[in-house]
Amino acid sequence: VVLLAGGVGKRMGAPLPKQYIQLGGKEIALYSFEVFAGMDHVREIVVVCEEDYDELFKSVGISKPLKFARPGKERQDSCYNGFSLAEQDASLVAIHDSARPLLRAEDAVKCFEDAHAYGAAVLGVPVKSTIKEVGKEDGLVIRTPDRATLWEVQTPQVIKPDLLRRGFDKVKAEGLEVTDDVSIIEQLGEPVRITTGDYYNIKLTTPEDLQLAESVLT
């Protein structure tokens, strides 16, 4: 597992990165960290974070190998740094955003199984609201996509290492920018399976998200 914990989180308006804000008496990043640490399917955890936070994760005292990588300029760079430290003979690499503390282990397992079958898989949920595609300049509606085909993707995003390695090679060679991990695989033209997840597996981005997460935990 590559756990991304190096973001700044400006929209939260907090004095420290959002993944290190206390939620229910524990740092947000530690929730998913402990979920993965307790899973038999997970062999090791690579945390991508600033050096100042290494001790926080070490203090949990997990039984699995624990490594640390440093964040890159963009998300894809941080993913690459973490992936580079992962065991080369791993059957899968799971990349998770530590700002998603409400991940359920059973959903992660389903995503692992789909990645084994398809090569790449990502947790997601069907979009509930009607989505409009809007022009960047004029703010006018261009079209309304069929909601039945739209999914909101989450993490973990789970990929076979050889596929991810090929994807990173292509992204670097062509100077591409991608906003999530399975987009790297899409660039190769390879299939990505959506694994149905849970609506509570939200990314904590705003103070309102924190309030929702607290209500789920209590």
Side-chain angles (χ1 to χ4, degrees), residues 1-4 36 48 75-76 78-80 82-83 92-98 112 121-122 154-159 164 168 180-182 184:
V1 169
V2 174
L3 185 68
L4 300 178
F36 289 120
V48 182
R75 176 195 170 91
Q76 66 196 54
S78 295
C79 291
Y80 180 79
F83 174 56
L92 294 171
V93 175
I95 302 166
H96 185 68
D97 191 329
S98 65
F112 295 165
V122 54
Q154 306 172 343
T155 65
Q157 304 197 4
V158 189
I159 305 164
L164 185 55
F168 273 126
D180 74 340
D181 314 303
V182 292
I184 297 173

Side-chain angles (χ1 to χ4, degrees), residues 150-187:
L150 300 176
W151 287 64
E152 179 181 345
V153 297
Q154 306 172 343
T155 65
Q157 304 197 4
V158 189
I159 305 164
K160 290 185 176 179
D162 59 332
L163 204 54
L164 185 55
R165 198 170 292 112
R166 282 172 47 210
F168 273 126
D169 288 345
K170 181 179 176 67
V171 164
K172 290 199 168 194
E174 300 181 14
L176 304 174
E177 287 191 14
V178 292
T179 55
D180 74 340
D181 314 303
V182 292
S183 294
I184 297 173
I185 308 309
E186 293 168 39
Q187 291 290 337

Side-chain angles (χ1 to χ4, degrees), residues 24-135:
K26 183 166 64 176
E27 287 80 0
I28 287 169
L30 293 185
Y31 281 91
S32 57
F33 177 73
E34 292 176 357
V35 167
F36 289 120
M39 293 178 64
D40 291 338
H41 296 73
V42 175
R43 187 165 72 178
E44 65 171 359
I45 300 177
V46 180
V47 177
V48 182
C49 67
E50 298 293 351
E51 190 174 354
D52 293 348
Y53 294 102
D54 288 3
E55 287 303 321
L56 174 66
F57 295 98
K58 289 179 181 177
S59 70
V60 177
I62 67 173
S63 59
K64 302 181 188 302
L66 174 60
K67 302 174 183 176
F68 294 94
R70 301 301 167 220
K73 183 180 178 183
E74 304 292 342
R75 176 195 170 91
Q76 66 196 54
D77 303 316
S78 295
C79 291
Y80 180 79
N81 293 348
F83 174 56
S84 297
L85 287 185
E87 291 291 340
Q88 295 301 300
D89 63 342
S91 59
L92 294 171
V93 175
I95 302 166
H96 185 68
D97 191 329
S98 65
R100 294 185 186 270
L102 303 179
L103 172 69
R104 302 186 306 185
E106 57 265 37
D107 290 332
V109 170
K110 287 192 300 181
C111 199
F112 295 165
E113 291 171 346
D114 279 347
H116 267 300
Y118 293 90
V122 54
L123 278 184
V125 289
V127 167
K128 292 181 179 180
S129 303
T130 298
I131 304 295
K132 301 285 187 183
E133 184 179 342
V134 179

